[in-house]
Amino acid sequence: MHSKNNVIITPVKNNISLYKITNKNGVEANITNYGATLLSLYVPTKNGKIDVVLGFHSIDEYIKAFEIGASPYFNAVVGRFAGRIKNAQFQLNGKTIQLDQNHGKHHLHGGKYQLSNVAWNFENYNEETNTLTFSYVSKSNEFYPGDVTIEVAYTLTDENELNINYKATTTEDTLLNLTNHAYFNLDGISGNTLDQKLQINSEKFLELDAENIPTGNFIPMENHAFDFRSSKNVVAGIDHCFVLKNNTEPAAILESVKNGLIMKVYTDQPAVQIYVGGKTSDELQNKESVKYHTESGICFETQVFPDAPNHEDFPNAILRKGETYHQNTTFQFIIS
């Protein structure tokens, strides 16, 4: 273990390390370069400091989860394409690009060669902004066209914001849609998200077929169980892409009734995929040996629409050579 200014760096194994940053209010983020993953996020509440993201007991468990094909992508950077792509195919510049079929006949979260289970490079720590930056080069022989150089920066502010900023360039035209797959629980890792209140800045969400692939149609939230235009308790079974009305208001607001903690999600993306889940394989050990269940966590995957390249009227997810991809998402915690 060693310190570099205000960051504590702990080597774990081979080329994998842990990075700990804190702010003046006692918020603490623990991050690893394995998958550029947020391991824990401790936030003070009126009931004491709690970890508000699910996760495994150790780095070995994160690695094992991928090896046995049972990873929930706990708090990792996801890509090259977050979400599903129908039949693992899309058209680009008149050519059919065939991706890895890792979700039945479909493609999910980057497939075999993904960003969540590789060691990223630690680039630097900026003491002035309290920012950790990691980088990774996704190679063109990993199904997708182009060598894509990606940087992800985690910033913890004294306003209790965890900001995640993504930047990428490519050597060829390609498809890119990055997000973070953090599972939040504002009551702590042993809580139930159904006890928490949710509001979403959306009027509609994507209709899905029987295999959770977007049909191209939209479902209005009005008179639906997923109508979160005003705050109400989280409901089970959400795994849907909500179209955001604008990027000036929070995309979503989650609130703990028990400890008064509020989390506001801000993003520059057109949608947020919200997923309620968290149950893990019995072969894997979770933090503090807590048994997660299907309502243990809630994800706010800020992104473009799933299956975007196969729908002309969906937001663009093509990154052209010479362009720079940008994505920015902030999780702001309001402590009562």
Side-chain angles (χ1 to χ4, degrees):
M1 179 186 297
H2 63 280
S3 296
K4 183 178 180 181
N5 301 323
N6 288 333
V7 63
I8 297 175
I9 304 172
T10 307
V12 178
K13 58 189 301 177
N14 301 330
N15 53 350
I16 299 173
S17 295
L18 307 182
Y19 304 81
K20 175 182 174 180
I21 53 176
T22 56
N23 73 0
K24 68 178 184 180
N25 305 313
V27 178
E28 173 190 319
N30 290 279
I31 300 162
T32 176
N33 62 311
Y34 180 74
T37 299
L38 176 66
L39 296 175
S40 59
L41 182 61
Y42 290 94
V43 181
T45 74
K46 63 184 181 183
N47 298 329
K49 185 179 285 192
I50 60 170
D51 187 358
V52 297
V53 294
L54 308 187
F56 290 122
H57 170 70
S58 68
I59 291 294
D60 286 338
E61 297 297 297
Y62 286 85
I63 297 171
K64 180 181 177 182
F66 280 103
E67 289 176 346
I68 67 174
S71 177
Y73 299 88
F74 275 150
N75 321 326
V77 171
V78 170
R80 289 191 191 187
F81 191 90
R84 297 170 178 86
I85 297 178
K86 185 176 182 178
N87 297 326
Q89 288 184 345
F90 68 97
Q91 300 291 316
L92 179 61
N93 297 337
K95 297 179 180 178
T96 298
I97 307 298
Q98 180 64 54
L99 302 174
D100 181 33
Q101 294 177 308
N102 68 317
H103 189 69
K105 63 182 179 180
H106 308 300
H107 181 78
L108 176 68
H109 291 340
K112 179 180 179 181
Y113 300 105
Q114 52 196 251
L115 307 178
S116 306
N117 64 345
V118 292
W120 291 53
N121 296 314
F122 170 60
E123 288 295 325
N124 58 67
Y125 170 69
N126 185 314
E127 183 176 17
E128 184 176 346
T129 59
N130 203 20
T131 300
L132 289 166
T133 300
F134 302 93
S135 70
Y136 183 73
V137 178
S138 176
K139 294 292 188 179
S140 62
N141 60 354
E142 297 173 351
F143 292 102
Y144 290 86
D147 291 347
V148 175
T149 301
I150 304 166
E151 282 193 357
V152 172
Y154 286 91
T155 300
L156 181 59
T157 75
D158 285 335
E159 287 70 46
N160 302 325
E161 299 165 329
L162 182 68
N163 175 264
I164 308 177
N165 187 268
Y166 309 75
K167 184 171 70 172
T169 56
T170 181
T171 59
E172 300 176 48
D173 293 354
T174 193
L175 183 68
L176 194 66
N177 179 34
L178 305 177
T179 196
N180 185 284
H181 211 299
Y183 288 71
F184 291 96
N185 192 313
L186 300 189
D187 291 338
I189 61 174
S190 60
N192 189 320
T193 57
L194 302 192
D195 297 328
Q196 292 155 49
K197 293 192 176 297
L198 174 65
Q199 184 173 351
I200 308 173
N201 180 31
S202 175
E203 299 282 351
K204 59 187 178 181
F205 58 93
L206 271 61
E207 181 184 67
L208 303 175
D209 66 16
E211 296 181 297
N212 284 338
I213 301 296
T215 64
N217 298 321
F218 299 89
I219 298 175
M221 292 172 71
E222 187 177 8
N223 299 322
H224 195 282
F226 297 163
D227 185 356
F228 290 97
R229 291 176 297 171
S230 58
S231 182
K232 71 175 188 180
N233 276 66
V234 175
V235 298
I238 307 175
D239 189 7
H240 293 75
C241 182
F242 292 84
V243 180
L244 297 177
K245 288 198 298 183
N246 58 62
N247 296 127
T248 56
E249 300 296 321
I253 302 173
L254 186 67
E255 179 181 2
S256 166
V257 178
K258 294 182 179 179
N259 60 36
L261 184 62
I262 296 172
M263 183 180 77
K264 295 183 177 182
V265 183
Y266 293 89
T267 186
D268 57 7
Q269 295 298 285
V272 56
Q273 178 84 16
I274 296 183
Y275 171 56
V276 175
K279 184 175 174 59
T280 52
S281 167
D282 291 338
E283 296 181 54
L284 300 165
Q285 185 179 358
N286 300 328
K287 294 177 185 177
E288 301 174 20
S289 297
V290 172
K291 289 289 185 182
Y292 299 144
H293 49 83
T294 53
E295 289 84 42
S296 283
I298 180 168
C299 303
F300 299 91
E301 303 162 57
T302 52
Q303 57 180 82
V304 300
F305 300 176
D307 202 32
N310 293 317
H311 298 267
E312 289 185 0
D313 57 338
F314 280 11
N316 174 60
I318 301 299
L319 176 64
R320 302 289 179 183
K321 180 180 179 180
E323 297 178 345
T324 300
Y325 171 94
H326 292 283
Q327 206 263 64
N328 194 75
T329 296
T330 297
F331 302 96
Q332 179 188 38
F333 296 90
I334 299 171
I335 302 166
S336 61

